[in-house]
């Protein structure tokens, strides 16, 4: 029945983009819309469940809670950014210290190699 009505509706329709309204093929098959129902879906979901209530005190209270939560999250983000800056500074310092320690160890290794070489040459020359 719906297919027949759709075919007839397409033939008689001059508009390429239809919006469902009273008198369309769906309302002819399903009947008039009832308050509190989503047309074609029955009792569940309800319009307020899908789209919410526009003027409801609970929404205002919820919005205040959301605004407070957003403020707290923005504060936390700022704190984490500051912490990130401090950690980057510490990381740079640690990299510099590691580089310095590597140079010292390299020099110590070279010095110990030279000491061993000189010691061995000295013992061989005796």
């Amino acid at each position: 029945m719906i297919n027949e009505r759709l075919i007839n509706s397409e033939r008689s329709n001059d508009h390429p983009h239809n919006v469902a309204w009273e008198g369309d093929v769906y309302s002819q098959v399903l009947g008039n819309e009832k308050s509190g129902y989503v047309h074609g879906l029955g009792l569940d979901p309800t319009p307020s469940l899908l789209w919410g209530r526009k003027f409801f005190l609970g929404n205002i209270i919820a919005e205040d809670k959301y605004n407070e939560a957003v403020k707290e999250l923005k504060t936390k983000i700022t704190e984490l950014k500051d912490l990130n800056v401090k950690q980057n500074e510490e990381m740079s310092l640690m990299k510099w210290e590691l580089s310095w320690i590597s140079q010292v160890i390299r020099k110590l290794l070279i010095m110990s190699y030279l000491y061993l070489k000189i010691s061995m040459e000295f013992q061989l020359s005796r």
Side-chain angles (χ1 to χ4, degrees), residues 74-91:
K74 284 181 178 180
T75 302
K76 187 69 173 174
I77 288 171
T78 303
E79 291 172 0
L80 289 172
K81 284 181 179 180
D82 292 343
L83 179 62
N84 188 30
V85 168
K86 290 177 184 176
Q87 288 176 338
N88 286 339
E89 290 171 356
E90 289 177 8
M91 184 66 76

Side-chain angles (χ1 to χ4, degrees), residues 35-38 40-47 49:
S35 178
Y37 293 79
V38 176
L41 298 179
L43 287 173
D44 196 36
T46 61
L49 181 64

Side-chain angles (χ1 to χ4, degrees), residues 30-40 42 47:
L30 299 173
N32 293 332
E33 288 191 31
K34 296 178 178 109
S35 178
Y37 293 79
V38 176
H39 205 171

Side-chain angles (χ1 to χ4, degrees), residues 2 4 13 18 26 38-39 44 46 50-52 67 75 83-84 88 90 93-94 99 101-102 105 109 112:
I2 291 179
E4 293 172 8
N13 188 6
N18 266 355
Y26 295 106
V38 176
H39 205 171
D44 196 36
T46 61
L50 289 175
W51 300 288
N67 288 338
T75 302
L83 179 62
N84 188 30
N88 286 339
E90 289 177 8
L93 179 62
M94 292 169 73
S99 173
I101 290 171
S102 296
I105 290 173
L109 287 173
S112 59

